[in-house]
Amino acid sequence: MLIAKWGNSLALRLPADYVRRIGVKEGDQVQASLTTDGGICLRAARWDRQAFSRELEKSRADMPMTESVMDELRREARY
């Protein structure tokens, strides 16, 4: 395998046989982790509905409901 420069990052090209074995395609996400012996472990990232729901709920909690932007614009007559 070859490591190449990709912008400010480095990229690793996966052989087609590896790609077929793990069942990924262009645009898919993978999870990378370091092993205790210094290796890298790549796994296809599967969509987790519960994790997504928790992340969405946290995002909603971080964005308090405020006055409608359109109502504010109409009141100020800026449109």
Side-chain angles (χ1 to χ4, degrees), residues 57-69:
E57 191 60 38
K58 183 183 179 312
S59 296
R60 288 180 61 165
D62 292 343
M63 293 185 284
M65 291 296 291
T66 60
E67 182 178 20
S68 164
V69 171

Side-chain angles (χ1 to χ4, degrees), residues 11-39:
L12 176 68
R13 286 186 178 211
L14 300 174
D17 185 46
Y18 289 15
V19 170
R20 280 191 295 275
R21 283 182 165 185
I22 63 173
V24 295
K25 63 186 180 309
E26 184 178 355
D28 285 353
Q29 291 192 7
V30 295
Q31 294 174 335
S33 58
L34 297 175
T35 61
T36 55
D37 63 352

Side-chain angles (χ1 to χ4, degrees), residues 26-27 39 41 49 70 77-78:
E26 184 178 355
C41 178
R49 181 184 298 262
M70 289 307 298
R78 293 183 185 172

